[in-house]
Amino acid sequence: MFLQRRCLLCCCSFHKCFRCQVMGELKKSEAIFLAFGTKGDVLPVAEVAAALAQKSPNLVITFITHAAHELLRKGLTLAGIAFIPISSPPVLSQWGSQNGNDLQPGNTNGEMLFYCEALKTSLDQHHREELTQVVDEVLNSAQNRCHSFIAINFFALEGWHLAELYSMQCVVVAPYIVPYSAPTSFERLFRTFHPLLYKRLKQASLAEVGWGDVMHWMWPLFTDRWTEWRVKHLGLAACPLTDPVTELPIVYRWPRAPLVLYGVSPEVVECPAYWPPSVHLCGFWYSQKRWDSFEGDNSSNELNLQDTLRKEGVPSKTGMQNDPPHSTHLIEYLSNRDVSDNPIFVGLSSIGSMGFLENPEGLLKVLDSVLQAASKRAILFTDGYQPLDAAVVSAAEHPGSYLSAGSASKSDNAQAIGAKEANASTTTEEARIMLLNDSLTICDDRLFCYSGFIPYSSIFSKCALVLHHGGSGTTAAALHAGIPQVICPFFHDQFYWADRMAWIGVSPKPLKPQHLMPSTLEGFEKGVGALLSAIREASTREMQSHAAEIAEKLRSEDGIGNAVCLLLEEFC
């Protein structure tokens, strides 16, 4: 005789009764990850969220990011995480007439500045409204679950205010250290306008939000850019940590010091004694195989910006590019190279879409001269940035240049494009199609250009060194591969990484943007000299040895695992 299975909670005869379903939901917690910015800003945070979901099945996680990162959906869904896209663009170009497709020639710098400021204000407002609605819907649908925490990166500071609105804890999950510091006048002005709040922050215990947290990363939360949104849309006090009625510091439920997790290694970044004790250097958050399907995603893509502009009634701009496909010939190109002939990888990622790549033709000319002088080959990742793609196509057409598909020889190239002679130039349309579909080789076969996405972990181990912009993700990938770097920073935390890599001996001193994109003949000669000198220094055995030593130390770290453990200790 078989015993009837009964519920372990209430001894009912059903496998799982309604009461048990409710009790099961009550045991679960809701967590929201907000990650905005480029792919390098978002992907490491998605890694941590996916690993946390695997370690904590009772934690229901929702991941909110830009719609441009739609191809993250598959990996997150497989990890049991709900993916919700936001229509705002990952980046907003610094539009200027120098790009030739932004403003009309007659427009002045003042008009351009006014246009950009108005556009940014409109985008911010739309982004906040959409984000507030999404978070509200997520939490309302989880009424039977306790609200645990909201995790943010530094491009998602809205999350702190939303956490305050819903009485949730906030935690920072950032793949790089805080990229900004408070103005020198901030403390003086804060003490003048908020004397009681300043005193309360100064008297806070180590476990509470204190002045150290404010000066380390929280100070932007107290600026005027949030006031109207907090008061009119969220119903909060104008200033965080104050009562909306009395405007005095809150006297109950003073928040704990927010956990700050950095996806950087203590072997590379020092942790100063003045940092709050809530700050942790976990180790780098390297991309795992779950994102191999992330091919074709161009997080610097402005297609979503185009849609937003149309909704806002803003005149559309030209030059919006489609997501580039996966480059198959690149793998073949790398696999056919001898170790002694490993190429230089050149990638500026989203720098182009942000408006900093002002002279792509000059960049190609500098690379051509340097590669010829150094007897080197290189791989150029265009990131699907249309002006750079157009410059590559133009270089392929130029007399004396050669065009090829993938790693094909000159004769194979001629056959591929249907030319009768090996040195015959192709048409602009044919060249553009070949680059978008796969790759082009220019500069007498010295520069392999591709537009599709391939994980850096599949490329860097077969490269001699990396020339890049100093993004945290590219820097971490090069460190993990154990190869030297040449860095040309443009903005944000890139200057920190450029200086830090030079300090630990894996990179020469940083280059300047005018070295890669000269506007005069004299500047061109200086740029070629500076880049050639940097490449030669990075190719020395001493620098190669330093890079290999650091890579060996990093292999023993589990940055994602450390971050997950800290989150579990704090919230689960």
Side-chain angles (χ1 to χ4, degrees):
M1 183 175 180
F2 295 98
L3 294 175
Q4 187 178 19
R5 297 186 63 181
R6 295 184 178 274
C7 176
L8 296 177
L9 290 176
C10 63
C11 296
C12 68
S13 58
F14 298 96
H15 177 64
K16 198 168 188 181
C17 68
F18 175 76
R19 175 187 175 188
C20 296
Q21 292 177 1
V22 173
M23 293 294 292
E25 284 294 303
L26 290 176
K27 289 184 178 181
K28 293 185 177 181
S29 300
E30 186 78 26
I32 298 176
F33 278 73
L34 304 180
F36 301 120
T38 65
K39 183 172 58 190
D41 303 312
V42 174
L43 183 56
V45 181
E47 289 285 0
V48 175
L52 179 63
Q54 294 176 353
K55 289 288 186 178
S56 181
N58 287 330
L59 192 63
V60 180
I61 300 177
T62 301
F63 195 92
I64 303 175
T65 186
H66 303 290
H69 305 311
E70 174 67 28
L71 291 179
L72 278 174
R73 181 189 296 272
K74 180 179 178 181
L76 290 171
T77 302
L78 291 175
I81 297 175
F83 175 88
I84 300 180
I86 295 292
S87 63
S88 59
V91 296
L92 179 62
S93 292
Q94 294 186 350
W95 283 335
S97 59
Q98 68 271 18
N99 290 335
N101 58 5
D102 300 323
L103 296 177
Q104 297 299 323
N107 289 348
T108 64
N109 289 336
E111 290 174 338
M112 180 183 69
L113 180 61
F114 176 79
Y115 175 86
C116 292
E117 286 297 323
L119 175 63
K120 186 178 185 303
T121 300
S122 176
L123 288 173
D124 282 346
Q125 180 179 357
H126 177 78
H127 173 78
R128 292 173 183 175
E129 290 176 356
E130 185 177 5
L131 179 60
T132 303
Q133 180 180 355
V134 168
V135 171
D136 186 70
E137 291 175 354
V138 169
L139 295 179
N140 284 336
S141 66
Q143 292 181 355
N144 292 330
R145 297 191 289 267
C146 65
H147 300 165
S148 184
F149 65 90
I150 294 180
I152 64 174
N153 66 357
F154 287 121
F155 290 108
L157 294 181
E158 294 89 351
W160 169 270
H161 305 285
L162 292 173
E164 179 182 347
L165 175 65
Y166 292 101
S167 300
M168 299 175 68
Q169 296 187 59
C170 185
V171 54
V172 175
V173 181
Y176 44 80
I177 64 173
V178 59
Y180 44 71
S181 58
T184 55
S185 60
F186 176 79
E187 184 170 3
R188 175 178 57 83
L189 293 174
F190 192 98
R191 185 172 59 247
T192 301
F193 289 99
H194 306 287
L196 296 179
L197 180 58
Y198 177 78
K199 181 179 179 180
R200 177 65 178 88
L201 288 165
K202 278 287 191 176
Q203 295 175 344
S205 66
L206 293 178
E208 297 176 324
V209 173
W211 187 248
D213 300 288
V214 173
M215 293 302 292
H216 180 67
W217 74 273
M218 293 178 63
W219 67 268
L221 300 174
F222 295 88
T223 57
D224 291 339
R225 60 175 295 208
W226 305 104
T227 303
E228 182 178 359
W229 181 56
R230 285 178 57 89
V231 175
K232 293 184 178 180
H233 297 274
L234 303 185
L236 298 173
C239 179
L241 304 178
T242 61
D243 187 273
V245 177
T246 64
E247 297 184 355
L248 298 175
I250 55 178
V251 295
Y252 62 95
R253 297 178 65 181
W254 185 267
R256 295 189 305 184
L259 193 65
V260 179
L261 305 181
Y262 287 142
V264 298
S265 170
E267 295 289 344
V268 177
V269 176
E270 296 178 348
C271 187
Y274 58 82
W275 278 7
S278 57
V279 176
H280 300 271
L281 303 181
C282 303
F284 289 111
W285 300 332
Y286 297 111
S287 177
Q288 306 296 318
K289 290 185 177 181
R290 66 169 61 90
W291 313 115
D292 285 350
S293 61
F294 204 169
E295 60 191 49
D297 173 56
N298 181 6
S299 61
S300 62
N301 192 325
E302 297 178 355
L303 285 173
N304 293 285
L305 173 59
Q306 180 79 356
D307 295 337
T308 304
L309 295 180
R310 190 179 300 112
K311 293 177 182 178
E312 298 294 335
V314 179
S316 63
K317 303 289 180 181
T318 59
M320 302 300 182
Q321 68 271 18
N322 292 317
D323 288 343
H326 185 87
S327 179
T328 55
H329 282 89
L330 176 59
I331 300 176
E332 180 183 352
Y333 176 82
L334 289 169
S335 61
N336 291 337
R337 294 288 166 189
D338 186 78
V339 175
S340 60
D341 191 32
N342 280 350
I344 298 170
F345 180 87
V346 182
L348 300 179
S349 190
S350 56
I351 288 301
S353 295
M354 292 180 182
F356 293 103
L357 194 56
E358 300 175 352
N359 184 11
E361 294 83 5
L363 172 63
L364 295 182
K365 291 177 181 178
V366 169
L367 291 176
D368 184 20
S369 298
V370 169
L371 295 176
Q372 185 176 4
S375 299
K376 298 282 188 180
R377 296 178 182 270
I379 297 170
L380 174 62
F381 174 43
T382 69
D383 199 35
Y385 179 54
Q386 191 178 51
L388 182 55
D389 284 347
V392 169
V393 172
S394 177
E397 290 186 295
H398 195 276
S401 297
Y402 294 97
L403 174 66
S404 67
S407 59
S409 64
K410 297 172 186 176
S411 59
D412 292 336
N413 166 52
Q415 182 179 1
I417 64 174
K420 294 183 179 180
E421 297 179 0
N423 61 353
S425 63
T426 186
T427 66
T428 301
E429 187 61 25
E430 286 173 329
R432 182 177 292 108
I433 291 174
M434 293 180 71
L435 177 60
L436 292 178
N437 287 339
D438 203 324
S439 57
L440 292 175
T441 303
I442 61 175
C443 303
D444 290 333
D445 289 336
R446 288 187 296 271
L447 188 58
F448 181 100
C449 307
Y450 81 102
S451 187
F453 171 77
I454 292 181
Y456 286 158
S457 58
S458 303
I459 304 175
F460 286 1
S461 60
K462 299 178 182 178
C463 294
L465 59 92
V466 181
L467 168 60
H468 64 101
H469 59 302
S472 58
T474 310
T475 301
L479 287 171
H480 189 257
I483 57 177
Q485 308 175 45
V486 176
I487 303 178
C488 179
F490 289 80
F491 84 122
H492 223 233
D493 62 325
Q494 297 167 7
F495 294 98
Y496 170 83
W497 288 115
D499 290 335
R500 192 61 189 169
M501 293 304 100
W503 177 261
I504 64 176
V506 299
S507 171
K509 65 178 183 179
L511 298 175
K512 298 180 179 179
Q514 55 264 35
H515 289 149
L516 297 184
M517 294 171 293
S519 56
T520 64
L521 178 60
E522 181 182 2
F524 172 78
E525 293 174 350
K526 289 183 178 179
V528 170
L531 180 55
L532 184 59
S533 175
I535 288 176
R536 287 172 175 169
E537 183 179 351
S539 301
T540 60
R541 290 191 175 184
E542 180 182 7
M543 195 159 287
Q544 291 174 342
S545 176
H546 285 160
E549 290 175 3
I550 291 179
E552 186 64 28
K553 294 178 181 179
L554 296 181
R555 290 190 184 100
S556 62
E557 293 183 345
D558 182 11
I560 296 176
N562 293 336
V564 169
C565 287
L566 288 167
L567 288 172
L568 292 176
E569 291 176 3
E570 183 78 5
F571 300 109
C572 300

